[in-house]
């Protein structure tokens, strides 16, 4: 009997074209918080998917509690007391919390001793108890669509606990949470550890590892780089190992030199499909050489605000003025031509045509202009040379260069491609929405540099981000949005993280209003 | 056994492994497999599959029959084959253009009939001379077809009405409205079909003497091939083709890039409908010279299969429509000669579609085996 609850030995997993895991061996002790750290595409999720039975390894062996196991399905993994919280929750939105948790193993009772039925009431009680036991307060009778994201995550955790999981895998659990919610989740993880559970945390956020993890395995390009003791290692060291080079956390940002006003948004109101005001009376302005960051919790109207400026959503009221010209009712192409570049939040749905080749995606906004086409006839040699230039300049990595179908590229490189295209527009206003979402440290660093470089060129930058750190380190001016209203606009230097956080929750804004 | 498996895998990898030619090798492979399976079906029915397949080719004028009636020969059959092939090319191109824009034009048959009907009653029953009547038929059919197609596109764009629903409904409307007019005004009391159109307006020259033989010369085929090349050019080389493809793949991203999605959708449907109109011209005023009331041409539906088989590529469509047309056209001769039901032709067509749909899977299998073989080679080299 070994001391390790889980041992994965020489695991290799290949997908067409890439080796996701290359002879990776990890050993996890019972009762520890074990973090898996790595850039996007480093193979963290693949490794854990094999432990959870979603894939089978091509080579290598998995031992659970010292016994060799072939984990052929998630069902079998559950029998081995392994549970996983996926990055995207797997819940039925019109079921109650209880119904979601018991789904697949519903306790049955018999009415009048014959007719079987699902014992929901009894389960409600059981789940309420379970949630109290681990400090995960939820109301079991609420429906999933009535509760917020962080509660949904708690439901996922309860689902594992209900199935008596001893080994809990969290896949990027904090990606969707606000700073306050992250704190709370980390407390939960600590609590679970105290209750004797073994926890595997997949993440690329170093602070979280520093806060809760005991040991940390670093993966880079499918290979295990090192296993570190978290307490004795600095975050900087971890970051360097993860990226494979020196990482600069601080964003080098020279003093701002503001030019003249580029964008002015005046009393802008935007309605959603249901006629509901999602942006209410928003006003702000951005000068050349200025980064205005909009901070806010997800779903408070940020995306709609950006869409309205770019022309994807109509303005229901107010004015949008670009370089002194009223563009409120112009169409999208006119705005592009007038100088708006836009890096959208959903890079796959809006930013790219995934089934086009890379070179066909670069001129997505310029294909109709010279030199890419003349009188309606495309000039493909121009597509080729432009593509090669951008791939080189922005270090976009892909399997077959220019000819790669974009769908097959990693998220980070897809984002690089969008940023390359938009920056090359040489527009006077560049809108970045969540530019680093889901990206690893190396890519984030790169994108932050790009944003600052654009500012130095005298562009006006509108940055919309859910990452408070990103807002704090990049912004010259911060605007906080809450429930569609801009509660505060102020020089970044005059605001503390705590204050911004409070505005984001709508606390402070309401007080000052009264 | 393992050894044997390996050599089979190697053989397939060698045949299909070259990615550069996969666009042609894999469909050909699927077709061969489906013909083999079709052969098994024919065997089960107690007939000789080689003979049956031979009959299909003979019926299409691609293989010599044992004997011909007076004034007929292989060329006669082949010309008739081409005559029937022409509307199929247009119809499949119509489906392909819509598919590229992400739309499913299931109303090709209706657009064909609408175009054919209007052209028949305006030009077909007139006394215009051939040099005026023939081009006029083509123009009228294209315009009528594009109006019907454009209406479907407009409904989709303006009211977000699913194009499949609206085109099926329009099919019914066209079918019954034309039937009403044929019965009340243009019916031939003997055949119970619409009256035959004037030869001057007809796009197929009937019973032309070619040496000792007589045959029908389909003029439309020239136009069909030219149009196929034009469409290929439009998709590959023009900004309009780029926009259509972008919309077909992702309307959100197209809108984001400033492309006028609605306008392009309507135009794509107009072109699709126009091509369906040309299919109607060569069908009702070419291969046939009258319309059967309340009946839609099967060509419009077969075209969907042909277009998918040809991967929505105009050149692929020329090839796939040729193939499917052999089966359609030759089936009559096969059934009379081999005693097989003509419906067996549909079974073979179905099999071809089924195996073609597996193309991506075959590609994946080949790739997997290829990688394995290469690795083994490497491993051996290292050892």
């Amino acid at each position: 009997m070994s001391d390790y609850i889980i041992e994965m030995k020489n695991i290799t997993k290949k997908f067409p074209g890439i080796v996701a895991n290359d002879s990776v061996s990890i050993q996890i002790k019972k009762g520890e918080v074990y973090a898996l750290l790595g850039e996007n595409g480093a193979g963290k999720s693949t490794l854990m998917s094999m432990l959870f039975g979603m894939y089978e390894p091509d080579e290598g062996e998995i031992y659970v509690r010292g016994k060799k196991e072939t984990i052929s399905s998630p069902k079998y993994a559950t029998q081995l007391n392994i549970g996983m919280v996926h990055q995207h929750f797997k819940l039925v939105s019109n079921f109650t919390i209880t119904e979601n948790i018991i789904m697949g193993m519903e306790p049955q009772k018999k009415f009048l001793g014959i007719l079987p039925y699902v014992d929901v009431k009894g389960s409600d009680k059981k789940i309420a108890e379970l949630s109290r036991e681990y400090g995960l307060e939820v109301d079991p009778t609420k429906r999933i669509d009535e509760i917020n994201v962080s509660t949904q995550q708690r439901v996922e955790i309860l689902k594992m606990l209900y199935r008596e999981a001893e080994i809990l895998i969290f896949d990027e659990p904090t990606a969707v949470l606000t700073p306050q919610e992250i704190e709370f989740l980390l407390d939960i993880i600590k609590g679970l550890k105290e209750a004797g559970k073994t926890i595997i945390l997949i993440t690329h956020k170093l602070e979280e590892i520093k806060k809760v993890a005991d040991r940390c395995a670093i993966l880079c390009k499918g290979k295990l780089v090192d296993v570190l003791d978290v307490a004795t290692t600095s975050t900087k060291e971890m970051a360097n190992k993860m990226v494979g080079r020196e990482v600069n956390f601080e964003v080098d940002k020279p003093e701002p030199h503001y030019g003249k006003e580029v964008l002015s948004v005046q009393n802008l109101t935007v309605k959603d499909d249901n006629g509901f005001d999602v942006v209410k009376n928003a006003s702000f302005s951005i000068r050349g050489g200025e980064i205005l960051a909009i901070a806010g919790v997800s779903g408070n109207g940020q995306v709609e605000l950006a869409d309205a400026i770019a022309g994807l959503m109509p303005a229901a009221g107010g004015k949008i003025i670009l370089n002194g010209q009223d563009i409120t009712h112009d169409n999208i192409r006119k705005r592009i031509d007038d100088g708006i570049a836009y890096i959208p939040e959903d890079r796959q749905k809006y930013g790219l045509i995934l089934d086009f080749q890379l070179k066909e995606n670069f001129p997505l906004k310029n294909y109709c202009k010279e030199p890419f086409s003349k009188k309606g006839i495309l000039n493909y040699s121009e597509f080729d040379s432009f593509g090669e230039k951008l791939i080189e300049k922005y270090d976009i990595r892909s399997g077959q260069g220019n000819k790669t179908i974009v769908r097959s590229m990693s998220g980070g490189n897809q984002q690089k491609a969008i940023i390359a295209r938009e920056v090359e527009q040489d527009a006077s206003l560049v809108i970045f929405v969540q530019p680093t979402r889901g990206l690893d440290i190396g890519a984030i660093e790169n994108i932050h540099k790009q944003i600052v470089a654009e500012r130095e060129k005298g562009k006006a930058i509108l940055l919309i981000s859910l990452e408070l750190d990103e807002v704090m380190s990049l912004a010259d001016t911060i605007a906080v949005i809450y429930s569609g209203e801009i509660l505060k606009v102020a020089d970044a230097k005059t605001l503390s993280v705590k204050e911004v956080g409070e505005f984001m929750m709508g606390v402070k804004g309401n007080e000052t209003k009264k | 056994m393992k050894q044997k498996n390996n050599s089979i895998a190697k053989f397939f990898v060698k045949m299909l492994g070259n990615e550069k030619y996969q666009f042609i090798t894999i469909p050909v492979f699927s077709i061969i497999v489906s013909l083999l399976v079709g052969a098994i079906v024919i065997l089960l029915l107690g007939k000789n599959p080689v003979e049956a397949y031979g009959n299909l080719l003979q019926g299409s004028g691609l293989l010599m029959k044992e004997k011909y009636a007076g004034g007929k020969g292989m060329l006669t059959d082949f010309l008739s084959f081409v005559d029937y092939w022409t509307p199929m090319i247009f119809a499949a191109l119509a489906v392909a253009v819509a598919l590229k824009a992400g739309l499913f034009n299931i109303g090709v048959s209706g657009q064909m009939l609408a175009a054919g009907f209007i052209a028949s009653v305006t030009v077909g029953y007139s006394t215009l001379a051939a040099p005026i009547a023939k081009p006029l038929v083509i123009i009228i059919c294209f315009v009528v077809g594009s109006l019907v197609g454009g209406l479907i596109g407009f409904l989709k764009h303006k009211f977000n009405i699913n194009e499949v629903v609206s085109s099926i409904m329009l099919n019914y409307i066209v079918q019954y409205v034309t039937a009403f007019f044929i019965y009340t005004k243009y019916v031939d009391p003997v055949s119970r079909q619409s009256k035959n159109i004037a030869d001057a307006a007809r796009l197929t020259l009937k019973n032309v003497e070619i040496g000792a033989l007589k045959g029908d010369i389909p003029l439309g085929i020239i136009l069909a091939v030219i149009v196929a090349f034009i469409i290929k050019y439009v998709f590959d080389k023009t900004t309009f083709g780029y926009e259509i493809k972008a919309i077909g793949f992702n309307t959100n991203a197209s809108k984001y890039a400033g492309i006028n999605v609605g306008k392009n959708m309507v135009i794509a449907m107009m072109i699709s409908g126009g091509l369906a109109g040309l299919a109607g011209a060569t069908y009702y005023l070419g291969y046939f010279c009258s319309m059967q009331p309340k009946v839609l041409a099967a060509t419009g539906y077969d075209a969907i299969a042909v277009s998918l088989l040809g991967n929505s590529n105009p050149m692929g469509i020329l090839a796939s429509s040729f193939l499917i047309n052999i089966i359609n056209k030759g089936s009559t001769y096969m059934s009379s000669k081999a005693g097989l039901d003509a419906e067996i032709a549909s079974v073979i067509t179905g099999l071809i579609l089924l195996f073609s749909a597996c193309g991506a899977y075959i590609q994946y299998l080949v790739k997997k085996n290829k990688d394995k073989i290469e690795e083994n080679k490497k491993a051996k080299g290292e050892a």
Side-chain angles (χ1 to χ4, degrees):
Chain A
M1 190 71 190
S2 71
D3 322 335
Y4 297 111
I5 190 162
I6 297 223
E7 282 183 273
M8 297 180 86
K9 289 187 179 165
N10 303 319
I11 302 285
T12 299
K13 177 74 191 172
K14 287 173 192 160
F15 292 111
I18 54 159
V19 182
N21 287 138
D22 188 358
S23 194
V24 174
S25 300
I26 57 168
Q27 296 164 315
I28 299 166
K29 286 182 210 149
K30 186 169 164 44
E32 71 174 338
V33 177
Y34 192 90
L36 277 179
L37 180 66
E39 295 190 86
N40 289 297
K44 301 163 294 193
S45 292
T46 311
L47 189 65
M48 284 304 111
S49 297
M50 282 186 280
L51 183 58
F52 192 57
M54 296 201 297
Y55 302 126
E56 282 188 55
D58 295 337
E59 282 162 41
E61 290 156 349
I62 300 174
Y63 293 81
V64 180
R65 299 184 189 87
K67 195 164 150 262
K68 188 178 167 186
E69 300 279 3
T70 307
I71 305 175
S72 53
S73 68
K75 199 172 166 188
Y76 187 64
T78 310
Q79 280 173 24
L80 292 172
N81 304 90
I82 299 172
M84 184 160 179
V85 176
H86 299 273
Q87 197 172 355
H88 303 281
F89 303 149
K90 297 177 190 305
L91 297 169
V92 181
S93 64
N94 54 357
F95 271 22
T96 66
I97 292 178
T98 300
E99 283 167 332
N100 265 287
I101 292 174
I102 62 175
M103 200 164 35
M105 43 192 311
E106 304 88 352
Q108 292 200 342
K109 271 194 176 169
K110 291 211 166 112
F111 182 64
L112 299 176
I114 346 166
L115 286 171
Y117 70 96
V118 178
D119 180 20
V120 176
K121 275 213 176 117
S123 306
D124 279 347
K125 242 186 239 160
K126 232 167 139 189
I127 284 158
E129 272 167 35
L130 195 67
S131 69
R132 265 195 300 276
E133 191 185 330
Y134 290 99
L136 294 155
E137 296 293 336
V138 293
D139 177 357
T141 57
K142 278 250 166 71
R143 281 208 325 267
I144 297 298
D145 50 16
E146 295 171 339
I147 60 179
N148 63 22
V149 179
S150 89
T151 315
Q152 288 178 8
Q153 191 172 47
R154 270 180 249 167
V155 176
E156 286 280 5
I157 299 171
L158 281 170
K159 216 159 99 182
M160 294 195 293
L161 295 173
Y162 184 79
R163 283 163 178 69
E164 290 166 356
E166 292 293 324
I167 302 149
L168 281 65
I169 307 168
F170 288 85
D171 190 358
E172 306 269 357
T174 57
V176 289
L177 304 181
T178 61
Q180 279 82 352
E181 288 168 339
I182 290 173
E183 282 301 317
F184 194 73
L185 175 73
L186 295 180
D187 284 342
I188 291 172
I189 291 179
K190 281 181 200 154
L192 290 169
K193 183 193 163 191
E194 272 158 32
K197 310 280 182 193
T198 307
I199 288 153
I200 305 172
L201 184 65
I202 303 175
T203 185
H204 52 241
K205 292 187 185 162
L206 298 164
E207 320 85 73
E208 289 161 16
I209 292 181
K210 199 72 191 160
K211 274 182 195 150
V212 295
D214 299 310
R215 290 194 305 151
C216 160
I218 297 175
L219 289 175
C220 185
K221 295 185 183 116
K223 288 195 177 129
L224 183 70
V225 180
D226 209 345
V227 180
L228 300 168
D229 189 10
V230 173
T232 59
T233 316
S234 73
T235 40
K236 181 132 181 128
E237 212 172 312
M238 285 193 263
N240 291 348
K241 285 226 157 115
M242 164 176 155
V243 184
R245 62 180 164 81
E246 280 287 311
V247 179
N248 190 3
F249 273 141
E250 296 297 313
V251 181
D252 275 330
K253 213 179 67 172
E255 280 299 303
H257 303 285
Y258 297 139
K260 62 177 173 36
E261 183 180 275
V262 173
L263 177 78
S264 162
V265 174
Q266 298 166 3
N267 306 319
L268 180 68
T269 300
V270 183
K271 287 184 195 295
D272 68 3
D273 293 341
N274 306 320
F276 186 76
D277 286 355
V278 275
V279 176
K280 298 168 198 156
N281 230 355
S283 300
F284 59 88
S285 71
I286 314 175
R287 290 160 286 182
E290 175 180 9
I291 300 177
L292 181 125
I294 295 191
V297 179
S298 173
N300 274 292
Q302 300 98 313
V303 175
E304 289 82 357
L305 177 65
D307 277 353
I309 296 170
L312 283 156
M313 276 183 112
K319 265 187 193 172
I320 304 164
I321 299 189
L322 182 73
N323 293 322
Q325 210 182 335
D326 187 348
I327 59 159
T328 319
H329 301 292
D330 286 349
N331 65 30
I332 299 167
R333 175 149 295 158
K334 177 96 191 341
R335 296 185 201 211
I336 293 169
D337 294 346
D338 284 345
I340 295 183
Y342 181 23
I343 288 99
E345 179 191 34
D346 193 329
R347 61 184 78 111
Q348 303 198 329
K349 196 171 164 196
Y350 287 94
L352 294 162
I353 308 239
L354 293 177
D355 297 292
F356 268 7
Q357 294 177 0
L358 188 52
K359 66 170 174 189
E360 292 173 301
N361 264 295
F362 286 131
L364 191 61
K365 290 179 169 175
N366 295 337
Y367 67 91
C368 49
K369 298 184 191 101
E370 285 196 51
F372 298 107
S373 67
K374 212 170 173 182
K375 294 193 178 109
I377 308 295
L378 296 172
N379 182 353
Y380 267 108
S381 62
E382 206 55 50
F383 276 53
D384 285 329
S385 57
F386 186 62
E388 271 156 31
K389 188 179 118 194
L390 263 56
I391 288 171
E392 163 94 34
K393 190 168 164 191
Y394 294 88
D395 186 30
I396 300 162
R397 287 174 217 172
S398 60
Q400 294 149 292
N402 245 339
K403 287 194 181 131
T404 315
I405 298 293
V406 174
R407 187 182 290 285
S408 70
M409 288 165 50
S410 73
N413 280 301
Q414 289 179 353
Q415 184 72 339
K416 275 192 201 168
I418 296 175
I419 292 182
R421 182 185 68 213
E422 296 306 311
V423 167
E424 288 291 316
Q425 292 280 336
D426 201 21
S428 48
L429 169 71
V430 190
I431 307 172
F432 290 88
V433 182
Q434 291 257 63
T436 58
R437 183 170 73 160
L439 302 186
D440 55 69
I441 294 188
I444 291 174
E445 192 193 359
N446 182 304
I447 287 168
H448 285 176
K449 272 189 194 151
Q450 300 265 10
I451 295 175
V452 174
E454 285 304 290
R455 164 186 182 257
E456 289 311 295
K457 278 193 236 162
K459 316 273 183 205
I461 312 274
L462 175 61
L463 170 69
I464 294 177
S465 175
L466 303 182
E467 303 283 343
L468 201 44
D469 293 344
E470 188 166 274
V471 169
M472 296 310 292
S473 64
L474 285 172
D476 297 313
T477 311
I478 294 178
V480 190
I481 193 166
Y482 175 74
S483 172
E485 282 179 77
I486 303 268
L487 290 187
K488 176 94 183 165
V489 184
D491 193 307
K493 287 183 195 128
T494 63
L495 285 171
S496 71
V497 183
K498 193 162 163 281
E499 276 175 301
V500 177
E502 279 167 358
F503 278 116
M504 279 165 70
M505 306 305 284
V507 184
K508 205 156 178 174
N510 288 344
E511 274 172 16
T512 46
K513 262 191 176 173
K514 281 171 202 166
Chain B
M1 188 65 200
K2 187 124 200 198
Q3 196 67 39
K4 202 175 165 193
N5 267 342
N6 259 339
S7 59
I8 292 174
K10 256 185 205 162
F11 173 74
F12 280 118
V13 168
K14 203 166 180 195
M15 294 303 292
L16 305 171
N18 191 335
E19 277 94 0
K20 221 170 146 187
Y21 300 109
Q22 268 181 352
F23 75 98
I24 183 90
T25 52
I26 290 195
V28 168
F29 176 74
S30 324
I31 289 165
I32 292 172
V33 173
S34 39
L35 289 180
L36 287 177
V37 176
I40 294 170
V41 176
I42 295 170
L43 269 178
L44 288 175
L45 292 168
K47 308 286 178 188
N48 181 348
V50 179
E51 214 172 279
Y53 286 153
N55 292 153
L56 287 179
L57 292 174
Q58 286 169 332
S60 305
L62 298 165
L63 209 66
M64 203 64 146
K65 286 180 191 170
E66 285 146 35
K67 56 176 188 234
Y68 288 96
K72 299 216 167 171
M74 205 169 108
L75 186 65
T76 323
D77 285 336
F78 181 69
L79 286 174
S80 169
F81 168 84
V82 174
D83 202 4
Y84 198 63
W85 180 32
T86 310
M88 180 68 94
I89 297 174
F90 281 125
L93 289 174
V95 175
V97 169
L99 274 182
K100 286 272 182 195
L103 297 165
F104 193 51
N105 185 0
I106 202 172
V108 170
S109 290
Q111 291 143 27
M112 281 170 70
L113 183 58
F117 176 79
I118 301 286
S120 291
V121 300
T122 51
V123 184
Y125 299 143
S126 74
T127 52
L128 287 171
I132 301 169
K134 289 187 207 294
L136 206 54
V137 163
I138 290 172
I139 292 166
I140 288 175
C141 282
F142 187 85
V143 170
V144 172
S146 62
L147 287 178
V148 179
L151 174 66
I152 295 167
F154 179 76
L155 291 175
K156 165 103 182 173
H157 162 54
K158 202 77 195 169
F159 306 106
N160 200 19
I161 296 173
N162 189 306
E163 76 278 8
V164 173
V165 176
S166 60
S167 51
I168 289 177
M169 293 304 142
L170 271 171
N171 275 359
Y172 282 116
I173 295 170
V174 171
Q175 195 178 344
Y176 287 100
V177 169
T178 53
F180 169 79
F181 284 109
I182 291 170
Y183 279 136
T184 52
K185 293 188 87 166
Y186 306 109
V187 78
D188 179 332
V190 182
S191 68
R192 300 299 298 159
Q193 299 202 357
S194 66
K195 280 180 273 183
N196 287 359
I197 57 161
D199 277 346
R202 205 163 166 186
L203 299 176
T204 299
L205 305 175
K206 293 299 278 187
N207 292 322
V208 181
E209 288 192 27
I210 313 157
L213 300 173
K214 273 189 176 177
D216 305 336
I217 296 184
L219 300 173
I221 185 69
I222 303 162
L223 186 64
V225 174
I226 292 172
V227 166
F229 277 94
I230 291 175
I231 289 181
K232 183 169 169 51
Y233 181 81
V234 168
F235 276 142
D236 290 351
K237 303 277 180 204
T238 66
T239 50
F240 174 68
Y242 180 90
E243 287 176 359
I244 293 292
K245 282 189 287 183
I247 291 169
F249 283 132
N250 187 341
T251 44
N252 287 318
S254 306
K255 193 178 160 204
Y256 155 84
I259 296 171
N260 189 335
V261 174
K263 185 181 115 195
N264 277 298
M265 244 182 207
V266 174
I267 295 178
M269 273 312 288
M270 284 180 78
I271 294 176
S272 174
L275 291 167
L278 293 180
T282 49
Y283 189 83
Y284 295 110
L285 296 96
Y287 187 77
F288 294 108
C289 55
S290 70
M291 287 159 290
Q292 205 181 339
K294 287 203 286 191
V295 175
L296 289 176
T299 308
Y301 295 103
D302 288 347
I304 295 165
V306 168
S307 183
L308 292 176
L309 185 60
N311 205 10
S312 302
N313 175 321
M315 298 302 113
I317 283 171
L318 284 182
S320 64
S321 58
F322 190 82
L323 176 76
I324 300 293
N325 203 43
I326 292 174
I327 298 166
N328 281 350
K329 186 75 183 147
S331 63
T332 329
Y333 185 70
M334 180 188 74
S335 88
S336 71
K337 189 77 185 160
L340 273 165
D341 287 326
E343 280 76 13
I344 203 76
S346 311
V347 173
I348 297 167
T349 313
L351 285 169
I352 291 177
L353 279 175
L354 193 66
F355 283 102
S356 305
C358 302
Y361 179 66
I362 297 170
Q363 200 171 350
Y364 163 77
L365 276 186
V366 169
K367 172 101 177 97
K368 203 171 132 190
N369 278 305
K370 192 179 174 185
D371 290 349
K372 224 183 237 170
I373 288 169
E374 261 165 30
E375 246 169 59
N376 285 345
K377 256 189 211 162
K378 246 189 227 163
K380 264 184 204 162
E382 277 165 18

